[in-house]
Amino acid sequence: MAGAVTVRMYNIGFGDAFLLSVPVAGGSWRMLVDCGVHSQGRSEHDIDDVVADIIATAADPTGRARLDVVVGTHRHRDHVLGFEDDRWAEVEVGEVWLPWVEDPADIEATSLREVHDAAAFALHQSFAAADSAKAELALNSLTNERAMWTLRHGFAGTPTRRYVDADLELTHDVSGLPGAGVRFLGPPRDEASIRAMNPPKQQRWFGPPGVAVDDGGAVFPPEFVIDPATHAALYPHLALPRTLAARLVQEEDDAFAATTWLDRSVNNTSVIFLLQVGSARLLFPGDAQWGAWRGLLETPAIRALLSQVNMYKISHHGSHNGTPTELAREVLSGSVTSLLSVRSIPRWSEVPKGELVDELAEPGRLVLRSAEPAPQPTRQHPAGLWVEHDVAI
Amino acid sequence: MGDTAKGTAERTLNYPEPVRRQLQIYAIDPMVARLSGSETVTISVPYEPLQPGPAGELLQVIDFDASADCYYEPVDLEDRRILLTDGLPPSERDPRFHQQMVYAVVSALLENFERGLGRRLRWRGDKRLRAFPHAFRGPNARFDPDNDGSILFGYFRADRRDPGRNLPGQNVFTCLSHDIIVHEATHALVHRLRERYKDPTNLDVYAFHEGFADVVALFQHFTLPDLLARHIQQNRTDLTARSPLVELAEQFGEGSGSGRALRSAMGAAPDPMALARTFEPHGRGSIMVAAVFDAFFSVYQRSIADLLRIATSGTGVLPEGALHPDLVARVAAEARATAQRMLTLCIRSFQFLPPVDVTMGAFLRSAVTADRNLYPADESGLRGALVEAFRRRGIYPDDITSLSEEALLWPEVSGRALPPIPGDVVDYVVQETAAGLQESRGVLEDAPGARRRETKADLDRRRRANAEAAAQLSAYARKNAGALGLDPDLKIRVEGFNASFLSGSRGRVRVEVVIRLVQSAPEELHEKFGPRLGGVPLRGGCTVVADGTGEVRYVVSRAVPCAAGRGPLAEAGQARLAATLGFVDAVTGHDAFGPWADPKERVTSTLNFARIDGGW
């Protein structure tokens, strides 16, 4: 096989959109991995323009657009928002890959999804008034039902849906690309991983809707209740500084901790796949975080596989626990090219993590960023809409 | 009779002040109490005059409910109507009983700590520990180290679908759980004894905090009257059977929908690899709890073997049917004595624990050293059992070459490596401690006929003398920095000092003077590694243990982290820096909160009492 896999990384902001092309007899084989942006991290390019460019690129001379594979790694807004667009209805798709938790026919998946959705909704409600950035983090985890509908039921050409779970043994064929193979490394579906995706019981945010809500009044009958002013007059020796009184409730912190927990939990439902075309090895881990990587790094055969990767899509926009130090430092090869799709948000200055990017940009390695001019031979859209990188086959 | 009545008006003779106060509490918690059929137990705590609250010298119960923004009526334990009845009878719906239970359980705990430490306890700056029995709505309780230290108890409605043996939706009060009260108060005590253990500098620091609090909560069960005898009878002397004796917070655990007690003394089967896989502080602490209890059970079994043989004509096999009540009483006495010995041993580890960066290995070494000094022979086999139980769970100090007792003991300072502690300071702290043990607790006043009680003038004098002693110790530390394992170029802070009167086997009494010294790494090091450390401070220091003459016997030190330099001190400092950075990297790798937190406190915003005690 000759030629290259061309990976186009869109400058979509804090989010992911990757279009892969491989020359095949009579045209190109194309795959789209995610299309979404975080509400706090839009780039100067509107997501509509990204969608338009994808469809235009995928169109044949008659104007009929076709994608051989569409992957929705996980249901976060910064990965799927673009699928809300109506134009997808005209695009012919061969196969759609989604994580097993999205399978509408799977009872276990459905109940897990319902728990996550209820929590995301409750959390978003609780933040909506007070703190927009935290609300947005919760919002990112909301169902994104319209986009998910497209992925589950939309597109032209009645695509096959493949609900992926990790299979550390087999290589699968890739539809429309003879000779290529794909390994599905995530999301895991063993008992321990499912337990980890389920919320901790103690966390009140994860109860069924309605139960957590309480009237908020005194818990004892009125004869025991004293208002603060009367109490101060009657029992001066028990005086309490107001600052201390205010510290007693830390609900917002609890809710924020729950939000971050939920965020990671959904991230760890990401489809992680390794595409093999000739000698090209491309690793797309979605937003996998620490828990999802652990099992992979503990399996020697998978470590060996990961060490052959020549293009790595940096997980979770470069957060410090999206890519374990061990993966960056010890497993990935000395010549790997890493793609970083992120737009820095001042409030979350640790994403991307500087040390991680430095590690992946060591001499011999290369990091390409979606929002920065790329070195030769990488190509860039004249207006900065995307950068393109070739991985030799 | 007639004479006495006639003379009453002119009488000046006071009644002797009481020594103890009896108070009713729930046996463990309302659910366990109800199920066991004996709702109430009466415990005895040291007497002190009380204001409504109750507010005493060390503890102030303030019933402010932040969720409802109101107070609840405080109990007045001096009211003669409830003095006659050992306080209010247990009630879930009267907040005044809740306040009474918190006061009683914390007071009993403080007494146990004072006994173990061989001295009177004071909070920093003579502040009082504040306890909030109904601080907020939520299935949680926590210790807040800021604002002078507070312990906060939440309340919540039992799970409607899975309430365990509670009513669905009933109110569950964490302040009515003996175990939760002891657990949170122990956090406060550990914080009083080692303030810097709130800094997450290694995987064990919060695990130790949690594990130690659970160990104390479990052993306090053995001090409750009746409970022990009942379970010995029920389980035929087998204390490892699942029973309220060895479970923690049953009502809380079941009420919050988990279907079982929150934690237990009975961990999984010992697995030396489990420690390496367990990062969460409660889980890691549970391994320590299981180890301490394993040691306790084996010593207990040995100590009752003769009783069982006597009772069974030598077979040691108990017959069918109920046990003889005399046997139960004797077995219970052995269990209680062994539990108290083990708890005291754990508490006394604080004589030796380093002022920063505790590890479970350091705890084991400190406990063994403290106990060995008082019980040289280990006749009961307690220390041997403890070392073995820790070994089976993979807990051992990383800096020793064998698990023999000699190797585990902190090394004694040889010969004249260090000059004695200044004589004035030794005299002062020893006298202070001796006087403190004579005092009775109470408000600051000179009550006629009362035992010696500290007056306002005494207090001022003590504060001045403390400041002076601290200055002398600071000068001593500067002069001997090298031998103390401290960096002579960095500021040395005297974090605390005290004397202890400890008693052991064969009437052995030891007077020990303990000094804690702390250093911070230089500012440039904090700046250099600041972003990576995510708020974790770089500190070192040592605990100096001297005998009653001021002769220094032990120096337990943790080198202050440093980046460069030669010599054993610098090497130890570099190792600590590397270890701290490694720990922080590992934590941030696991932590969902990390990417979204303020980088300046990325680690400390996750690893702190509020976050970790989520579900206490």
Side-chain angles (χ1 to χ4, degrees):
Chain A
M1 220 184 253
V5 181
T6 299
V7 182
R8 178 179 290 185
M9 169 165 58
Y10 284 94
N11 178 10
I12 199 165
F14 193 107
D16 270 8
F18 293 88
L19 183 64
L20 279 63
S21 309
V22 182
V24 288
S28 282
W29 174 91
R30 295 189 202 278
M31 172 191 240
L32 175 65
V33 185
D34 290 337
C35 183
V37 63
H38 200 286
S39 62
Q40 293 278 294
R42 293 191 196 94
S43 75
E44 60 274 27
H45 301 284
D46 200 88
I47 191 160
D48 288 348
D49 300 339
V50 173
V51 172
D53 188 84
I54 294 169
I55 294 175
T57 310
D60 63 14
T62 69
R64 200 180 56 104
R66 178 182 161 82
L67 293 165
D68 294 89
V69 180
V70 171
V71 189
T73 59
H74 64 295
R75 103 179 78 104
H76 273 158
R77 181 190 169 101
D78 55 344
H79 291 255
V80 300
L81 180 72
F83 295 110
E84 288 190 354
D85 201 299
D86 293 334
R87 286 170 283 177
W88 293 112
E90 309 298 320
V91 177
E92 188 184 313
V93 172
E95 251 184 43
V96 180
W97 298 352
L98 291 165
W100 65 265
V101 294
E102 299 301 338
D103 187 347
D106 186 322
I107 291 171
E108 193 167 33
T110 308
S111 74
L112 186 64
R113 224 168 40 236
E114 279 172 358
V115 172
H116 285 174
D117 288 352
F121 184 71
L123 288 163
H124 180 248
Q125 294 285 89
S126 88
F127 288 132
D131 186 319
S132 67
K134 287 174 186 169
E136 296 303 340
L137 188 58
L139 185 65
N140 198 41
S141 292
L142 281 178
T143 330
N144 297 307
E145 211 38 68
R146 230 179 113 200
M148 293 314 292
W149 186 91
T150 306
L151 287 165
R152 284 206 200 98
H153 308 287
F155 301 118
T158 52
T160 314
R161 258 80 191 181
R162 174 178 254 177
Y163 293 99
V164 172
D165 59 47
D167 172 357
L168 303 190
E169 311 277 321
L170 289 178
T171 304
H172 301 266
D173 290 339
V174 179
S175 144
L177 193 59
V182 63
R183 302 280 302 250
F184 293 113
L185 306 180
R189 200 182 178 160
D190 55 288
E191 213 176 298
S193 305
I194 292 173
R195 211 179 315 126
M197 289 174 199
N198 269 300
K201 271 254 180 186
Q202 306 294 358
Q203 251 300 358
R204 68 189 192 86
W205 289 104
F206 300 120
V211 169
V213 182
D214 229 317
D215 46 17
V219 69
F220 293 105
E223 63 265 31
F224 293 117
V225 175
I226 314 179
D227 67 87
T230 314
H231 190 270
L234 284 173
Y235 306 107
H237 67 282
L238 296 177
L240 187 62
R242 278 316 282 185
T243 49
L244 184 58
R247 281 183 62 89
L248 300 193
V249 192
Q250 295 199 338
E251 288 207 349
E252 196 181 292
D253 280 3
D254 285 350
F256 190 47
T259 309
T260 60
W261 183 91
L262 180 68
D263 186 70
R264 179 177 66 174
S265 192
V266 175
N267 281 339
N268 280 350
T269 65
S270 287
V271 172
I272 306 175
F273 69 93
L274 177 64
L275 184 66
Q276 310 173 332
V277 190
S279 59
R281 300 274 186 285
L282 298 89
L283 178 61
F284 285 88
D287 273 356
Q289 277 179 276
W290 182 76
W293 286 109
R294 190 172 45 168
L296 301 179
L297 293 173
E298 280 171 0
T299 311
I302 302 296
R303 276 178 87 102
L305 208 59
L306 295 176
S307 71
Q308 298 164 9
V309 164
N310 22 45
M311 193 233 84
Y312 169 56
K313 196 291 287 190
I314 298 179
S315 181
H316 198 215
H317 321 288
S319 88
H320 65 275
N321 55 10
T323 307
T325 315
E326 194 185 349
L327 178 70
R329 199 173 288 168
E330 294 164 27
V331 179
L332 290 175
S333 81
S335 59
V336 69
T337 296
S338 303
L339 270 47
L340 178 58
S341 182
V342 69
R343 174 175 181 274
S344 294
I345 299 176
R347 177 158 191 141
W348 298 325
S349 59
E350 296 279 276
V351 184
K353 179 92 178 145
E355 285 93 335
L356 171 66
V357 178
D358 293 348
E359 189 86 51
L360 291 171
E362 293 267 298
R365 291 174 161 185
L366 179 65
V367 173
L368 300 175
R369 287 169 172 261
S370 57
E372 279 174 23
Q376 292 289 341
T378 311
R379 294 172 300 279
Q380 188 163 24
H381 182 266
L385 182 65
W386 45 254
V387 293
E388 245 178 22
H389 170 68
D390 289 339
V391 186
I393 294 173
Chain B
M1 271 313 274
D3 285 353
T4 326
K6 202 168 52 192
T8 303
E10 304 93 58
R11 301 275 309 238
T12 53
L13 182 63
N14 275 315
Y15 293 103
E17 273 204 74
V19 179
R20 314 287 298 175
R21 185 193 290 271
Q22 317 289 326
L23 289 169
Q24 303 185 62
I25 61 170
Y26 274 117
I28 302 200
D29 66 39
M31 186 189 86
V32 172
R34 173 169 52 82
L35 292 169
S36 70
S38 71
E39 289 242 307
T40 172
V41 294
T42 303
I43 61 170
S44 151
V45 301
Y47 169 80
E48 59 173 334
L50 290 172
Q51 293 178 283
E57 187 186 318
L58 288 185
L59 175 67
Q60 199 178 29
V61 179
I62 304 179
D63 211 348
F64 175 66
D65 183 337
S67 292
D69 195 27
C70 68
Y71 286 84
Y72 302 116
E73 182 71 36
V75 67
D76 180 6
L77 291 179
E78 302 291 353
D79 190 299
R80 68 192 157 82
R81 283 163 294 191
I82 57 172
L83 272 174
L84 285 169
T85 55
D86 299 340
L88 289 163
S91 158
E92 287 180 81
R93 62 179 304 280
D94 186 341
R96 296 172 300 177
F97 169 75
H98 299 202
Q99 301 148 9
Q100 166 184 315
M101 178 153 171
V102 170
Y103 172 80
V105 173
V106 176
S107 296
L109 177 71
L110 290 172
E111 185 182 30
N112 224 340
F113 262 77
E114 291 192 327
R115 191 190 309 173
L117 294 170
R119 62 190 167 96
R120 258 189 80 165
L121 273 171
R122 289 192 176 91
W123 303 108
R124 276 196 195 83
D126 294 296
K127 296 271 175 36
R128 285 182 281 193
L129 177 70
R130 293 192 179 102
F132 295 88
H134 311 100
F136 53 82
R137 199 177 275 277
N140 199 358
R142 67 173 192 270
F143 164 62
D144 180 356
D146 300 324
N147 290 307
D148 316 328
S150 307
I151 48 179
L152 316 176
F153 301 93
Y155 57 90
F156 63 103
R157 290 192 182 277
D159 197 295
R160 282 182 203 281
R161 291 164 306 167
D162 184 11
R165 290 170 286 177
N166 297 292
L167 275 177
Q170 80 165 81
N171 274 316
V172 176
F173 298 98
T174 60
C175 74
L176 291 182
S177 162
H178 176 271
D179 304 339
I180 297 180
I181 301 171
V182 174
H183 180 100
E184 299 307 331
T186 303
H187 278 318
L189 282 160
V190 170
H191 184 67
R192 170 65 188 91
L193 298 168
R194 293 292 183 278
E195 191 180 358
R196 291 291 144 215
Y197 288 5
K198 79 172 158 79
D199 300 331
T201 49
N202 74 57
L203 211 47
D204 277 357
V205 177
Y206 272 92
F208 171 76
H209 241 295
E210 295 299 338
F212 191 81
D214 279 354
V215 164
V216 175
L218 282 162
F219 278 122
Q220 283 291 119
H221 285 176
F222 290 79
T223 65
L224 296 175
D226 308 336
L227 189 72
L228 186 57
R230 191 163 65 233
H231 288 287
I232 284 173
Q233 177 66 270
Q234 240 165 45
N235 297 316
R236 312 183 61 72
T237 78
D238 178 10
L239 291 181
T240 63
R242 293 256 172 207
S243 75
L245 211 51
V246 295
E247 306 277 1
L248 278 177
E250 285 192 277
Q251 183 185 28
F252 179 92
E254 294 190 13
S256 53
S258 73
R260 59 190 166 85
L262 197 61
R263 292 191 287 280
S264 166
M266 315 305 303
D271 171 5
M273 300 314 292
L275 197 67
R277 288 194 306 262
T278 311
F279 306 107
E280 194 278 324
H282 290 106
R284 211 172 157 82
S286 292
I287 298 175
M288 169 178 152
V289 175
V292 173
F293 264 79
D294 184 347
F296 162 73
F297 290 131
S298 63
V299 174
Y300 159 76
Q301 243 134 25
R302 252 189 320 244
S303 74
I304 62 163
D306 58 344
L307 289 173
L308 296 186
R309 283 193 300 272
I310 295 167
T312 57
S313 314
T315 65
V317 181
L318 290 166
E320 299 275 312
L323 301 182
H324 196 289
D326 289 351
L327 178 64
V328 171
R330 285 287 295 109
V331 168
E334 286 293 338
R336 186 169 295 122
T338 308
Q340 187 62 54
R341 258 275 270 137
M342 188 60 101
L343 179 56
T344 306
L345 174 148
C346 292
I347 293 172
R348 284 181 178 168
S349 68
F350 278 93
Q351 291 293 98
F352 291 88
L353 285 173
V356 298
D357 196 45
V358 69
T359 60
M360 295 203 198
F363 166 69
L364 181 63
R365 294 190 76 173
S366 300
V368 167
T369 310
D371 194 68
R372 155 82 169 236
N373 285 341
L374 293 162
Y375 300 88
D378 194 22
E379 280 156 22
S380 58
L382 206 60
R383 290 198 297 278
L386 192 67
V387 173
E388 176 59 13
F390 271 59
R391 183 199 62 77
R392 287 169 58 192
R393 287 166 182 80
I395 310 176
Y396 29 75
D398 45 15
D399 44 2
I400 59 164
T401 48
S402 96
L403 278 176
S404 68
E405 188 162 301
E406 290 71 34
L408 272 173
L409 295 171
W410 289 116
E412 284 205 57
V413 173
S414 60
R416 313 214 166 279
L418 275 161
I421 308 290
D424 321 355
V425 179
V426 173
D427 290 350
Y428 166 67
V429 292
V430 169
Q431 277 177 28
E432 267 298 303
T433 304
L437 291 171
Q438 297 304 312
E439 281 168 9
S440 56
R441 296 219 177 284
V443 289
L444 299 173
E445 63 178 28
D446 283 312
R451 279 189 297 163
R452 206 184 99 77
R453 200 169 265 168
E454 199 173 42
T455 63
K456 189 90 178 80
D458 289 338
L459 182 67
D460 291 340
R461 185 188 47 75
R462 181 159 60 76
R463 285 190 177 152
R464 274 197 305 277
N466 274 348
E468 200 169 302
Q472 284 201 50
L473 288 173
S474 177
Y476 172 88
R478 271 198 307 279
K479 206 178 295 167
N480 301 293
L484 291 168
L486 300 173
D487 183 336
D489 299 329
L490 294 173
K491 197 167 170 255
I492 301 171
R493 202 169 83 80
V494 180
E495 200 186 54
F497 55 89
N498 62 266
S500 291
F501 293 16
L502 304 163
S503 62
S505 60
R506 296 176 213 290
R508 181 180 286 258
V509 175
R510 272 177 83 98
V511 177
E512 284 178 351
V513 175
V514 181
I515 301 153
R516 283 173 288 130
L517 304 166
V518 175
Q519 296 189 299
S520 257
E523 198 50 45
E524 57 267 28
L525 202 63
H526 274 110
E527 265 164 36
K528 181 171 176 203
F529 291 102
R532 194 167 154 199
L533 285 167
V536 176
L538 298 171
R539 288 198 182 88
C542 65
T543 299
V544 182
V545 182
D547 62 23
T549 69
E551 206 66 55
V552 175
R553 305 293 301 279
Y554 300 91
V555 176
V556 178
S557 70
R558 300 294 285 153
V560 65
C562 65
R566 258 193 286 266
L569 196 61
E571 269 168 38
Q574 286 158 34
R576 277 219 52 217
L577 179 64
T580 309
L581 290 172
F583 162 70
V584 170
D585 287 350
V587 169
T588 39
H590 305 168
D591 176 23
F593 203 62
W596 319 114
D598 180 349
K600 286 197 292 299
E601 46 185 53
R602 191 182 63 243
V603 176
T604 45
S605 61
T606 313
L607 281 177
N608 59 49
F609 286 106
R611 292 259 65 82
I612 288 175
D613 258 2
W616 77 286

